[in-house]
Amino acid sequence: VTDQAFVTLATDDVYCQGALVLGQSLRNHTTSRKLAVLITPEVSSGMRSVLRSVFDEVTEVDALDSADSVRLALLQRPELGVTFTKLHCWTLTHYSKCVFMDADTLVLCNVDELFDREEFSAAPDSGWPDCFNSGVFVFRPSLKTYNLLLQFAAEHGSFDGGDQGLLNSFFSNWATADIGKHLPFIYNLSSSAVYTYVPAFHHFGRDTKVVHFLGATKPWNYKYNLQTKRVMQDGTTSGSFHQLSFLALWWNIYSASILPLLEKFQKMEESESEEWKHTFRGVEITLKKVDPSVANSLQMHVLPEQAYEADPTASSSEELSFKAEFNWR
Ligand code: UPG
C-alpha cells in the first residue's frame, strides 16, 4: 500500500536514534506501509543518510519560515515549537491515511491493522484517560486540517504547552463521540505506567503491540552492555523489571541494526574528518571526532567492556594521542 505511511518526527540527531529504532522495528515486523520521517534543519547530513537507509521518505520541515499571519502569531509562542513541528504531519498529502508515532515508541509486532481506523484515533493517556496520548494516532493528511490546527494553536495555545494538549482540545469529542476511535492501550503502552496497575499488566501486558518510552529519560539515555545484552542502571536511571526488558528490546535493535549503520556512514565521512589510532593496554582503539549525540554509544562500541573518555582539553591530533586519558568505568 503506497498511499499510506507510518510517520515519525525527529528534530535533532538525538531523537533520530529513536526514530531509527522505531523505523527498524516496523521493518522487522514487515509492514506493508511506507515509512516517513519529518526532520528539521538541525539534523546533520550524516544522520540524514542513515535515516534514508531505513525510511522511504525523509522530509525536512521548516521552523516558522513564512510570513503568513498564522505562522507569525505562532512565532510569538516559542514554547509551541516542537508542537508546531508535529503538526506538519498533516501536510503529507501524498498519503491518504497515516499513523503518527513518536520517536520514543517501539513496535513489538506488525500493527498495520491500525490503518483500518479513521481520523482521529488514539489511545487513552495513562495520566488522564479522558485525554488521548498523542504518541500514536491515526490521521488523514489534509492542508485544510493543518491550517485549522495552526489557527487553533495561535488562538488557544495548548493547555500543556505541547502537541498533546493542543490536539486534545482540537479533537475534543474524542472521549465521547466514537469508541471506534479509542485505540486499545496495548497500541501505546506507556512503559512507566506499567507498575501503577501491575495486575492489569500481568493480565493484558503480554499482548502489548507498541511500547512508548514516555517521559524525560529515553532509551538512549541508558547505558547498555553490548556483551551481556543488558541495560545498565546507575544513580540517574531506574526502572522496573518490565521497563528494563522493554528497554533491552530497544537496545537490541539499536545495537544490532542501527549502530552498524551509524558506523558505516561515520566511516564514509571519516575520509574528510580526523581519526587517530591509539594502542592502549594492547587494545587498538580509534579516537574519532564523533557527533556528541552518538558519542556515548560509539565509545561503548569501540571498547565494549570499558567506556572511555578522551581528555576534552586536548586539541590537536598528536596532542590527543599523548594526552588521551581513560577513565575506566
Ligand atoms: N521530539 C523531537 N525533538 C524534541 C522533542 C520531541 O523530535 O526535542 C519529537 C519526538 O518524536 C518525540 C515527540 O516529539 O518522541 C514527543 O516528545 P517526547 O520528548 O517524546 O515527549 P514525552 O513527554 O515523552 O511525550 C508526551 C506525549 C507526546 C507529546 C509530548 C508533548 O506522550 O505524544 O508529543 O508529551 O505534548
Side-chain angles (χ1 to χ4, degrees):
V1 188
T2 56
D3 71 336
Q4 298 186 340
F6 286 99
V7 181
T8 188
L9 163 70
T11 62
D12 56 30
D13 283 14
V14 175
Y15 273 92
C16 282
Q17 299 178 97
L20 285 164
V21 170
L22 166 65
Q24 188 63 46
S25 71
L26 287 159
R27 291 258 179 254
N28 290 351
H29 296 291
T30 60
T31 178
S32 62
R33 278 21 182 227
K34 295 278 185 194
L35 301 187
V37 58
L38 302 175
I39 57 167
T40 54
E42 211 179 299
V43 173
S44 69
S45 62
M47 192 54 97
R48 289 171 196 230
S49 310
V50 179
L51 287 171
R52 274 192 287 271
S53 62
V54 172
F55 289 85
D56 297 298
E57 195 186 349
V58 179
T59 308
E60 183 179 290
V61 292
D62 271 329
L64 313 170
D65 63 341
S66 113
D68 85 49
S69 59
V70 172
R71 290 189 185 206
L72 271 181
L74 279 168
L75 260 177
Q76 312 304 316
R77 312 187 68 128
E79 81 281 5
L80 294 176
V82 171
T83 297
F84 181 89
T85 315
K86 203 190 250 191
L87 300 183
H88 272 98
C89 68
W90 266 275
T91 65
L92 299 172
T93 51
H94 47 296
Y95 299 117
S96 64
K97 195 191 277 187
C98 296
V99 173
F100 182 90
M101 301 187 75
D102 273 356
D104 59 347
T105 60
L106 173 69
V107 309
L108 308 186
C109 60
N110 185 296
V111 292
D112 287 357
E113 69 275 13
L114 283 172
F115 290 89
D116 297 341
R117 306 270 177 161
E118 263 313 316
E119 178 173 281
F120 183 95
S121 295
D125 186 77
S126 60
W128 195 265
D130 288 339
C131 288
F132 54 80
N133 180 276
S134 62
V136 177
F137 61 83
V138 183
F139 70 102
R140 280 194 183 274
S142 145
L143 291 182
K144 187 175 167 224
T145 310
Y146 174 68
N147 284 313
L148 287 171
L149 277 162
L150 292 193
Q151 212 175 327
F152 192 91
E155 281 168 19
H156 306 280
S158 161
F159 70 78
D160 66 1
D163 59 276
Q164 184 159 308
L166 171 71
L167 290 170
N168 268 280
S169 302
F170 188 82
F171 295 103
S172 61
N173 68 358
W174 172 85
T176 53
D178 180 357
I179 196 68
K181 293 182 178 174
H182 285 227
L183 299 179
F185 193 56
I186 52 170
Y187 284 95
N188 186 353
L189 183 114
S190 155
S191 65
S192 57
V194 160
Y195 56 83
T196 63
Y197 195 0
V198 175
F201 181 73
H202 286 154
H203 192 63
F204 300 110
R206 75 191 60 183
D207 299 324
T208 301
K209 292 172 189 285
V210 179
V211 180
H212 188 174
F213 299 98
L214 192 148
T217 314
K218 300 301 188 196
W220 50 86
N221 298 128
Y222 288 78
K223 291 197 173 62
Y224 180 74
N225 185 317
L226 285 164
Q227 255 140 32
T228 62
K229 296 198 187 318
R230 282 216 161 137
V231 174
M232 301 190 275
Q233 293 193 81
D234 57 30
T236 59
T237 56
S238 65
S240 68
F241 169 75
H242 295 295
Q243 264 177 299
L244 287 174
S245 50
F246 289 139
L247 283 167
L249 290 177
W250 189 96
W251 270 96
N252 283 344
I253 297 179
Y254 186 71
S255 58
S257 307
I258 306 305
L259 263 183
L261 283 179
L262 291 170
E263 285 182 329
K264 189 176 121 200
F265 284 94
Q266 185 87 30
K267 281 207 184 84
M268 281 164 61
E269 284 191 345
E270 252 157 38
S271 43
E272 304 127 46
S273 69
E274 296 129 298
E275 171 187 328
W276 311 284
K277 296 266 185 232
H278 184 81
T279 304
F280 185 71
R281 289 190 187 164
V283 184
E284 187 179 56
I285 57 160
T286 309
L287 296 175
K288 300 168 184 174
K289 262 198 168 171
V290 293
D291 186 320
S293 65
V294 293
N296 210 12
S297 331
L298 286 174
Q299 288 175 351
M300 295 278 294
H301 193 67
V302 174
L303 275 182
E305 285 171 318
Q306 299 108 337
Y308 66 86
E309 285 173 350
D311 180 355
T313 61
S315 52
S316 74
S317 59
E318 265 191 31
E319 207 187 342
L320 188 58
S321 66
F322 261 117
K323 283 180 61 184
E325 277 177 12
F326 301 92
N327 301 322
W328 301 96
R329 291 200 193 118

